[in-house]
Amino acid sequence: MPDIIEKILDSYWFDILARVLLTLVFWTSGLAKLFDFTANAGIMDDFGLQPGWAYNLVTLILQIGASLMIICNKGVWLATGALAVFTVLTIPVAHPFWAKEGEEAFRDMTVALEHASVIGGLAIFALYSRYRASNCW
């Protein structure tokens, strides 16, 4: 492996950047739920998750909190596990491709497959974090 690549991969800042990018989809979604709480609580209600405000609150705490744990390398196994379970549960709630037809089924199946890839990335990161101990503080 070229020296420059080794230096980048061993860099503290590259490690933090990778953690931020891995969790990007979660913490940005959590912030959206926080900043437009009422609208997102309504979306939860629309999915049959009631009371919507409670599901929205728990979801945003999970998404932001677990993301911060991963970024800071604190309890990564717990945070990655929680986000993986959350991500699996979103498939039957928000993306039930098996109950749809045509373009809508294809779109939801694509999202479900993307979710499976994210879960794989979280699993790999849980393994990686056992061997790399960079913390954000």
Side-chain angles (χ1 to χ4, degrees), residues 49-122:
L49 302 172
Q50 297 174 350
W53 68 267
Y55 278 92
N56 192 59
L57 180 63
V58 169
T59 301
L60 77 87
I61 290 169
L62 169 68
Q63 290 179 316
I64 295 170
S67 294
L68 286 172
M69 289 172 70
I70 292 168
I71 292 166
C72 296
N73 198 32
K74 303 290 184 188
V76 172
W77 66 271
L78 178 62
T80 56
L83 288 175
V85 169
F86 167 79
T87 303
V88 166
L89 293 175
T90 64
I91 295 171
V93 172
H95 310 290
F97 60 89
W98 55 89
K100 298 177 179 176
E101 294 182 12
E103 184 65 31
E104 193 176 18
F106 180 76
R107 186 178 54 246
D108 276 359
M109 184 182 68
T110 301
V111 171
L113 292 171
E114 290 170 350
H115 281 28
S117 293
V118 169
I119 292 165
L122 290 166

